[in-house]
Amino acid sequence: MPAVTVENPLTLPRVTAPADAVARPVLTVTTAPSGFEGEGFPVRRAFAGINYRHLDPFIMMDQMGEVEYAPGEPKGTPWHPHRGFETVTYIIDGIFDHQDSQGGGGTITNGDTQWMTAGSGLLHIEAPPEHLVMSGGLFHGLQLWVNLPAKDKMMAPRYQDIRGGSVQLLSTPDGGALLRVIAGELDGHQGPGITHTPITMLHATLAPGAELTLPWREDFNGLAYVLAGRGSVGTERRPVHMGQTAVFGAGSSLTVRADEKQDSNTPDLEVVLLGGQPIREPMAHYGPFVMNTKDELMQAFEDFQKGRLGTVPAVHGMSPEGPQG
């Protein structure tokens, strides 16, 4: 799990919660069910079974892989539409190409993030490049959906390619954890991702036995998803392991700890921490569209079917097969 790393975290700025911070309790720990997405790549549905009031402004998150593909096996998603939210694709291992119906696109690889604001809508495709399909290899990443408030749902689409080298790197006072701030800010340190809905997204690697207690905005929710390894969450040290999501309650700090002993194939605890300012608006979600009302959803499907969200570039010689997730 290379993502972005440094040899000595003690060379980085260090963060910790103030002594008078109020620790957030752990409300729930859920286990993500496994499934398949797109053309058949394996995913874990990180937020399945969690009440939306704890997730808002986040909608869903899939852990893609970790999977070692044989030659000819790597898979992606076919052309599909989106409207009304933002997709955040974070590639930890492997390579993904992105293309959209407006001529945008790019390639993201180890530690890179692509932030796509679907807004009023478009068609796009995500797939491994041809050379990776031929050779096979390791693939591992995350895709997060972030809701947009009603006033921004029909804005023009926008893209940000966030290279791994541009993320804000931080550590804990003892150097036991490496923090990669992808978007938002943590203790005054700003990540590169620009968001419409105020959020914080970071990927933390904790050495065995390490603990981090971070300041966390009181007006944000708090979520921790375990990408790999074993540990505990909250000052009550509730156990968590790979594929589990912890929901934190109210407070101004959150705590994560790595177990002293980790599995041989995952030497550290790898966790994604998310917080955001709840939008608290009605949400109508079906397939690839996230709107405020059923009527807006029906309009989105009509616009897609009539080609108003764009058309697949002619070089592909195909048309959209229908809405995908």
Side-chain angles (χ1 to χ4, degrees), residues 11-242:
T11 62
L12 301 171
R14 294 173 227 179
V15 296
T16 190
D20 61 352
V22 177
R24 287 177 172 247
V26 177
L27 301 181
T28 63
V29 172
T30 58
T31 301
S34 297
F36 292 91
E37 183 57 86
E39 295 172 342
F41 60 83
V43 298
R44 286 187 176 91
R45 307 285 190 193
F47 296 162
I50 300 175
N51 191 301
Y52 183 65
R53 65 190 170 91
H54 297 315
L55 298 177
D56 186 11
F58 307 111
I59 300 162
M60 57 160 275
M61 187 168 73
D62 284 346
Q63 180 179 6
M64 307 178 292
E66 184 175 13
V67 59
E68 183 79 44
Y69 283 119
E73 280 190 339
K75 299 175 175 68
T77 64
W79 284 94
H80 58 283
H82 284 308
R83 172 181 280 179
F85 62 101
E86 300 184 284
T87 66
V88 183
T89 307
Y90 175 48
I91 299 299
I92 299 165
D93 293 288
I95 309 171
F96 234 29
D97 285 342
H98 161 86
Q99 186 181 1
D100 69 67
S101 54
Q102 299 190 350
T107 298
I108 51 175
T109 185
N110 302 345
D112 294 343
T113 302
Q114 192 201 61
W115 205 291
M116 182 181 83
T117 304
S120 60
L122 44 64
L123 307 179
H124 81 147
I125 187 171
E126 300 153 305
E130 188 174 349
H131 69 84
L132 185 65
V133 174
M134 299 293 289
S135 66
L138 187 63
F139 181 79
H140 189 199
L142 279 179
Q143 187 168 91
L144 170 71
W145 289 14
V146 185
N147 202 3
L148 287 169
K151 66 182 178 62
D152 293 328
K153 282 197 178 292
M154 296 299 285
M155 67 174 292
R158 182 182 74 175
Y159 305 89
Q160 302 168 70
D161 278 334
I162 302 168
R163 297 303 165 194
S166 69
V167 300
Q168 174 70 62
L169 298 180
L170 306 168
S171 187
T172 47
D174 63 0
L178 172 62
L179 312 175
R180 308 165 187 87
V181 184
I182 296 168
E185 64 90 27
L186 181 69
D187 198 29
H189 301 277
Q190 190 74 35
I194 299 168
T195 70
H196 289 279
T197 304
I199 73 164
T200 293
M201 178 182 184
L202 63 94
H203 172 193
T205 300
L206 286 76
E211 182 173 285
L212 61 81
T213 297
L214 300 177
W216 211 251
R217 278 181 51 169
E218 292 187 65
D219 59 336
F220 277 20
N221 60 356
L223 303 161
Y225 177 72
V226 182
L227 289 167
R230 296 179 173 276
S232 60
V233 285
T235 54
E236 60 268 49
R237 293 196 175 183
R238 187 148 171 193
V240 290
H241 58 74
M242 181 179 71

